[in-house]
Amino acid sequence: MDITWYVVLSALLFAIGAGGVLIRRSPLVILLCLELMLNASNLALVAFSRAQGNEDGQVFALIVMVVAACEVVVGLGLIVAMFRRRLPLNVDEMRDLRG
Amino acid sequence: MEAEPGLTYVAFFAGAIGAVGGAVAVIALRNPFYSVLALVVHLVSLAGLFLLLYAQFVAAAQVVVYAGAVMVLYVFVAAYLGAVEEPIWEPIPGQRFLAPLLAAALFVELAIAILGTGLSALDSSGPTVHLGFGSPAEIGNLLLERFLVVFEAASMLLLVAAVGAIVLAGRQREAER
Amino acid sequence: MSATTYGWLVLAFPLAGCLISAFGWRVLPGRAAGWIGTAAIALAFLSSIGALVALLDKPVQSRELTSSLYSYASAAGLDIKLGILVDPLSVYMILVVSGVSALIHLYSVAYLASDRGYSRYFSYLNFFVFSMLLLVLAGNFVLLIVGWAFVGFASYALISFWYRRHTATRAGMKAFVINVIGDVGLVFAAFFIFRDLGTFDYLSVFHAAPQHFSTNQGVLIAICLLILVGAFAKSAQLPLHTWLPDAMEGPTPVSALIHAATMVTAGVYLIARTHPLFELAPTAADISAFIGLATLIFAATVALAVTDLKRIIAYSTISQIGYMVVGVSIGAYAAGLFHLMTHAFFKALLFMGAGSVISAMAGTQDIDRMGGLRRALPFTSVLMIVGALALAGFPLTSGFFSKDEILVFASNRGGFYWIFTVGGYLAALLTAFYAFRIIFRVFWGEPVPEARELEGGHLAHAEPANPLTGEPEDTDVGFPGPEHHIAERDRPMWLAMATLGVLSIVGGALQIPGLDHVIETFLRGSFLDSRLYESVPSVLADWEGLAVGGAVALAGIAAAYFVYVARPGTSAALARRFRPVHAFLVNKWYFDELYDAVVYRPAIRIGRFSTGVIERVVVDGIVTATVDAVRGIGVVVRGAQSGFVRAYALLLIGGFAGLGLYFLIVSS
């Protein structure tokens, strides 16, 4: 299998994730789409690592996983906090940045 | 170590269909719980693809850490939240139309960039790798020798995240009292 | 000391006087400012005499001396120096200017004694004399223009001296605007001279002109015409003459100095100074002469009809300067400048007398309200008669010798120049007539109440009022002072008038045909390069012309006697019978109305249009539109700050896609 296939697949997954972030309104689902994007980049990293012939890309992918985990922890904590305060779980409701 | 070319194709497409299907399901399903489950499918498919790329340790970590731990967190939160219905009406004009368009444009551009690139390494299935490429031993070697600082930094990050989680959780408890 | 050092002194004294009066006005007691001013000009006169003596020491061919104080600009082909030219012409002019100015300062010491703006007056007057001397002594066109502009300003300041009188301020503005028109012409002329000859210096320009220009070349005619614009604006010739009668709003000594003896002669001086250019462009010189002729006839006719004493004398000035302009345009330089000098004497004398008369009449200037002042003002009347005789050209007065020399020169030139002779004599007849119109109207006939009061030893008094409109005024600063001074009572006025009276009579002795030609000999040093200077008529022709002139003068005086003394009421009858003609003359040939319609009203309309339309709609509109545009853009941009996170994310992805597209295109 040419490495090109894997990278194109990664691009596709990334685009799907980006579209999902833009379309969905629930913060939880947006975080899930974020995970999609991160995983897509992981796939690209691993593919390139195979293409290069050394494992640096794989280590990078591991660290990305670590970062993703941390981000999930904080994000979910936020969502739970929102839920506890009876705030509507809708990204569109949070408009305090309005100019 | 080359597997049979035909099997490689089958494995790749299985993984690819699983990944793309899971991704589409994540963004398409209304119930967030179902989206979480779709993501799990996606992650496992990706792990299979990693295996094809001789990244055994990463594949294992993907299943154990990502699908196993992170997704479990998601499941807990999704269960806690319950079913949250999203409203139909779109307050931002043009979002519904532009978002898929832009995502598609992004994919097309990336694809053109990848397919049009002159990188010769991408045109093959990669150089012949030695036995043990992608094995835990080699990853571990790298982590503790070349990428030690990165490793330690990642640990710090995890610590900070853990503290942050406790703080967030603790504050909630304060508010409840 | 050399002649040029005297030249600088001539400039320094009036300037010093001006500054002392200007800055020390609080501490100078009583009439001190007046005496300081007079002394300054007297010292300038003495320095002029020194310059004359120093100049006469030199041989005739080398009497053009220059001296420069410092180099004002010397870069990029420019070489402008603060330099003066001391030659017979400029020495002649500074003698006349400083001499007559000194006498007028003396007169003013008493005349304006009770005015609250006494020091300011003498400061301005000294500044004026300084400017005039600077104009005359300038050695290059740049300094000439500087002096020209200064003189215009001094004129404005002095016309509007009584600044709370609105007629005075309007007259000052009118004078200034018309003067500026002349300034523009002069500046353009200087520019063209510089463009073609590369220098501003007089001697260099006049030396290079014959080599660079051919006769009657278009550019040269243009230069000369532009110089004429400047000269005619300053000398109040047609069509730029309308400011001079209005300038009578200034104090009478100012009228005497600026608008009779000195400033208005600046144009004549300029034409004489630039004679090499005019001789090279005879077309322009002829145009100048014809305009001079037209002016002199026009002004003489108007002087027959107007009734304000000072304005009659003003129109007389315009007419006489027409003579001088004709003189220097046709090549009679010595004659024209001689007439300049004699005219300064008798015109200043006439104005001084008029000042005395107006004071006696408690501020009235209308001759129809005067009469029989002979017994009340014996000294003034005698001296005014002297002045009028000189103006008319009565035999053996100075005016007799000077005026007709020009006309004889004209007939001697042949060709079509006889027109000037005929026109000149015609106007001389009118001149004699209106000169004695004044005399007989004011001093003969039934004494008016003011005269009777004065005969009784008591100077008439009236409520201060604007002589033109009759509006009441007060006597505080900005208006004339409460006292009136007549020559019979104030020694300085008496002294000044007596000196001028003597000069008006004996001044002619300087240039009696066949006997001596002092002026002509002296001025030759400045006109060595002139083709026309030496073509003087024969002595016989001169005396023939003088005889005709004398006869014309006597005829005019006799006619005036007939109309005003022998048959009083004749003038009123004539005015009734020829009512449209009289109206035409009294309204100064409707020039003011013409300019009002052609220049003033359109300018006001343009101004109103600019304010109403251009300013309000276009300019404000552009500004407001810009503001609105910016605000509109702000509103639009603010729309992007919706607060929706997903919208921001959309923009993010969109930007990313765009950037990717750009790089794809660039790298392909």
Side-chain angles (χ1 to χ4, degrees), chain A residues 26-32 35 68-84 89, chain B residues 36 69-81 164-165 168-169 172:
Chain A
S26 168
L28 185 69
V29 179
I30 290 180
L31 273 175
L32 289 173
E35 297 302 316
C70 304
E71 164 232 335
V72 162
V73 159
V74 174
L76 288 177
L78 273 174
I79 294 175
V80 169
M82 280 166 64
F83 183 74
R84 279 177 181 252
L89 280 179
Chain B
V36 172
V70 175
M71 284 300 116
V72 169
L73 261 178
Y74 267 108
V75 167
F76 279 152
V77 172
Y80 181 61
L81 295 180
L168 279 173
Q172 289 161 37

Side-chain angles (χ1 to χ4, degrees), chain C residues 296-297 300 319 323 403 422-432 434:
Chain C
L296 79 93
I297 296 179
S319 177
Y323 272 106
K403 189 192 311 191
V422 169
Y425 279 124
L426 178 66
L429 181 65
L430 297 175
T431 306
Y434 68 65

Side-chain angles (χ1 to χ4, degrees), chain C residues 108-280:
Chain C
S108 308
V109 167
Y111 189 75
L112 279 150
S114 66
D115 197 301
R116 289 286 305 277
Y118 196 69
S119 302
R120 180 167 59 100
Y121 174 82
F122 277 99
S123 167
Y124 284 159
L125 212 62
N126 271 11
F127 178 73
F128 166 77
V129 177
F130 163 73
S131 322
M132 187 70 201
L133 293 169
L134 182 66
L135 193 160
V136 168
L137 278 172
N140 56 54
F141 279 97
V142 173
L143 207 55
L144 170 77
I145 293 172
V146 169
W148 203 266
F150 278 175
V151 166
F153 161 70
S155 168
Y156 162 76
L158 285 163
I159 295 172
S160 317
F161 179 69
W162 289 318
Y163 54 82
R164 287 170 60 205
R165 196 180 266 184
H166 70 97
T167 48
T169 49
R170 289 191 62 199
M173 286 193 280
K174 184 171 178 177
F176 203 81
V177 168
I178 297 182
N179 259 289
V180 167
I181 296 174
D183 284 355
V184 167
L186 194 56
V187 168
F188 272 123
F191 165 70
F192 279 118
I193 289 174
F194 179 71
R195 191 189 68 149
D196 282 327
L197 298 173
T199 175
F200 285 112
D201 184 59
Y202 279 160
L203 296 177
S204 318
V205 166
F206 299 145
H207 194 72
Q211 292 150 9
H212 191 89
F213 291 116
S214 53
T215 312
N216 266 341
Q217 190 177 345
V219 175
L220 189 59
I221 294 184
I223 292 175
C224 290
L225 288 177
L226 287 167
I227 292 178
L228 286 178
V229 169
F232 289 162
K234 194 69 78 181
S235 291
Q237 302 294 288
L238 284 175
L240 297 166
H241 65 282
T242 49
W243 63 272
L244 188 51
D246 285 14
M248 296 300 115
E249 290 286 332
T252 308
V254 166
S255 305
L257 180 59
I258 299 186
H259 307 124
T262 45
M263 189 181 99
V264 292
T265 58
V268 177
Y269 161 77
L270 182 62
I271 300 176
R273 174 61 81 195
T274 53
H275 69 267
L277 299 175
F278 278 96
E279 286 189 8
L280 212 52

Side-chain angles (χ1 to χ4, degrees), chain C residues 25-38:
Chain C
W25 65 277
R26 273 192 214 274
V27 299
L28 291 170
R31 295 189 183 184
W35 293 117
I36 290 174
T38 313

Side-chain angles (χ1 to χ4, degrees), chain B residues 39 46 167:
Chain B
L39 189 65
L46 274 186
V167 164

Side-chain angles (χ1 to χ4, degrees), chain A residues 4 24-25 35 55 84, chain B residues 29 66 89 122 138 176:
Chain A
T4 312
R24 297 301 297 260
R25 254 166 286 175
E35 297 302 316
E55 294 117 334
R84 279 177 181 252
Chain B
L29 293 171
Y66 222 130
W89 175 66
L122 289 182
E138 299 220 359
E176 272 186 334

